[in-house]
Amino acid sequence: MVERQRTRLAALIAHARTRSPFYRELYRGVPAETSELAALPVTGKRELMAAFDDWVTDPAVTLKAARAFTADPAAIGHPFLDRYTLTTTSGTTGHHGIFLQDAHAAAVIPAMLARMLAHWLTVRDAAKIAAGGGRTALVVPEGGHFASTVAAERLRGRSRTAVLSVHRPLAELVEALNAFRPALLAPYATIGALLADEAEAGRLRIDPTLVTLSAEGLPVPEYERISRALGAKVCTSYAANECPFLSYGCRERWLHVNADWAVLEPVDERHRPVPPGEASHTVLLTNLANRVQPILRYDLGDAVTVRPDPCPCGSPGPALRVQGRAADTLAFHGPDGTSVTLAPLPLSTLLEAVPGLELFQIVQTGPARLRLRMRAALGADPDTVWRTAEVRLRELLTRHRLETVQIEHATEAPRYSAGGKVRTIIPTDQI
Ligand SMILES: [Zn+2]
């Protein structure tokens, strides 16, 4: 552990113990002055969300106020209590998360972004981007306090920045991108793959210098294909609402943790360290920059493998790959015998924004049939939740000219995988 990381960790632990009633109680048996992560108990979203008001270190922050904020679409992108960035995730475990970053943590984000750009861009690339006016296109989901949507809302209205909705039909997205001609393009990974198809077919005609893909994993050859099709460098990142600046992807397609501000511990089922070269069961995250809602040894639920040798890209620190974030694209027969593909993010984010929908799973049970397994939140009316979800799904399908696709209301609950997660989108060939 680098010295700077150790100092920051000791300060974070001291802060959590004194300012967060949850951590004060949790660390009661932990010796004072400790700065060893291994000495600390593991935490998780379910228990932290259940103790929300005791977890946060600012007494002005309450779950009630945070929930009211998340229920207000007009508040998306605005600061919560005038000082915090608030994002939400339903995740895949059925437990809604509400995450706050304070001003200090928010300031780390552009610094880490600059680090990633410095890795990827040559002086010539930077000159080319500047010559193109630095035009940046972000493709994000609408209607929820998603991390990417919140970030995009902050940039909306700036000249040279286009915020495009991931829920638009692909043809419209292609048209908007052709008109805008971005130098920098930031879509979700599966949307990036669909845009590469469009470029290969000659319909998308843009010349970006850099494409940054987020949120989902793709097979490594897909990144090379997207790069060729769009004539751009393609970079990725691995992050979480709990730590937006967690890592950046390098030229060798490995991820490097921003170790001065975050710690990742690959561990087995019993939370013992897993050596490099072996896949972990899960990974424990510590966010060293954020004070308002301390994240310490937090079980992220992702299986990772750390590279045993130094990464050939020359970046410092351990390099890792994440398993289990691969995304599933749904394919349908459209009108006139055409094929229509739906990326998973537009679907899942659409449903994540449905009030009272705690957990869901969309299964494609036939060429023109979707089955929605769902669980309503405690206190929410399941019929109302179902009807809202159905209306929104129907709107999305209609926009993609998939009016003939049937939506079934499943009687069974969403099914958990062996790892305790729910795969939100299951394509027809993988039931
Ligand atoms: Zn590397």
Side-chain angles (χ1 to χ4, degrees):
M1 191 181 273
V2 292
E3 193 51 40
R4 194 161 43 175
Q5 196 184 49
R6 191 181 297 275
T7 312
R8 285 174 180 162
L9 178 62
L12 175 67
I13 294 169
H15 173 79
R17 302 184 89 138
T18 47
R19 301 288 296 278
S20 160
F22 173 85
Y23 280 105
R24 192 180 308 137
E25 177 63 25
L26 187 70
Y27 291 174
R28 219 152 43 148
V30 177
E33 308 299 326
T34 194
S35 60
E36 291 300 325
L37 272 178
L40 305 176
V42 170
T43 59
K45 183 157 77 176
R46 184 201 294 242
E47 58 174 320
L48 289 169
M49 280 306 296
F52 190 90
D53 291 359
D54 284 337
W55 171 23
V56 293
T57 59
D58 178 349
V61 175
T62 61
L63 184 60
K64 194 169 171 230
R67 283 234 168 101
F69 187 86
T70 64
D72 179 8
I76 295 167
H78 291 278
F80 173 62
L81 300 180
D82 298 323
R83 53 191 182 277
Y84 300 120
T85 303
L86 184 152
T87 63
T88 62
T89 173
S90 74
T92 48
T93 51
H95 303 287
H96 280 276
I98 297 177
F99 298 100
L100 303 171
Q101 302 287 329
D102 55 30
H104 181 246
V108 172
I109 298 172
M112 295 302 113
L113 186 64
R115 180 181 284 180
M116 182 174 86
L117 293 179
H119 175 88
W120 278 95
L121 300 179
T122 61
V123 173
R124 219 175 129 188
D125 292 331
K128 193 180 157 204
I129 290 171
R135 282 190 305 277
T136 303
L138 307 156
V139 187
V140 299
E142 293 173 291
H145 294 254
F146 310 113
S148 59
T149 312
V150 169
E153 278 304 320
R154 299 258 164 107
L155 297 172
R156 194 192 283 274
R158 287 192 192 181
S159 63
R160 307 183 198 292
T161 301
V163 179
L164 304 171
S165 167
V166 83
H167 303 298
R168 290 168 83 169
L170 194 57
E172 279 182 28
L173 195 57
V174 166
E175 196 181 323
L177 288 170
N178 281 338
F180 185 69
R181 290 179 297 116
L184 293 166
L185 173 63
Y188 283 110
T190 43
I191 299 292
L194 294 181
L195 291 175
D197 296 343
E198 293 298 299
E200 284 168 351
R203 291 185 288 269
L204 179 64
R205 295 174 296 275
I206 56 174
D207 182 26
T209 303
L210 185 69
V211 176
T212 65
L213 302 176
S214 60
E216 307 153 307
L218 292 176
V220 170
E222 265 297 86
Y223 296 111
E224 309 311 325
R225 183 182 74 89
I226 296 169
S227 175
R228 275 196 311 276
L230 297 176
K233 292 180 175 176
V234 172
C235 69
T236 54
S237 63
Y238 164 54
N241 292 52
E242 294 87 336
C243 189
F245 43 78
L246 179 54
S247 77
Y248 67 98
C250 75
R251 294 182 291 267
E252 303 289 328
R253 302 282 164 227
W254 287 81
L255 296 155
H256 292 267
V257 174
N258 286 313
D260 36 4
W261 290 113
V263 185
L264 266 191
E265 301 171 79
V267 293
D268 66 14
E269 293 86 339
R270 293 170 61 192
H271 300 138
R272 295 171 303 195
V274 168
E278 284 178 29
S280 73
H281 174 73
T282 183
V283 70
L284 306 179
L285 166 70
T286 299
N287 177 338
L288 296 172
N290 193 28
R291 292 291 171 87
V292 63
Q293 198 182 35
I295 297 282
L296 278 149
R297 299 204 91 204
Y298 175 98
D299 190 339
L300 262 187
D302 290 320
V304 308
T305 304
V306 174
R307 197 183 165 114
D309 54 340
C311 185
C313 78
S315 295
L320 58 91
R321 282 200 177 138
V322 185
Q323 285 100 42
R325 281 210 172 187
D328 305 302
T329 297
L330 301 181
F332 299 93
H333 297 299
D336 325 323
T338 54
S339 167
V340 178
T341 41
L342 281 187
L345 253 295
L347 270 174
S348 58
T349 51
L350 188 83
L351 292 182
E352 280 180 31
V354 171
L357 182 54
E358 186 171 79
L359 190 65
F360 62 88
Q361 188 167 50
I362 298 173
V363 189
Q364 187 175 10
T365 51
R369 202 175 317 136
L370 289 177
R371 187 171 177 83
L372 177 63
R373 297 174 178 153
M374 52 165 274
R375 190 172 79 206
L378 209 64
D381 173 36
D383 287 337
T384 308
V385 173
W386 153 249
R387 277 197 299 274
T388 311
E390 190 192 18
V391 165
R392 294 199 184 172
L393 268 178
R394 177 59 58 206
E395 283 169 1
L396 183 85
L397 292 169
T398 302
R399 256 179 285 159
H400 289 82
R401 299 178 64 210
L402 292 170
E403 293 91 343
T404 54
V405 173
Q406 293 180 340
I407 307 169
E408 299 172 347
H409 185 183
T411 46
E412 74 276 12
R415 291 189 187 144
Y416 285 83
S417 68
K421 288 198 171 191
V422 167
R423 212 165 132 205
T424 50
I425 311 285
I426 304 179
T428 186
D429 56 347
Q430 291 170 36
I431 301 170

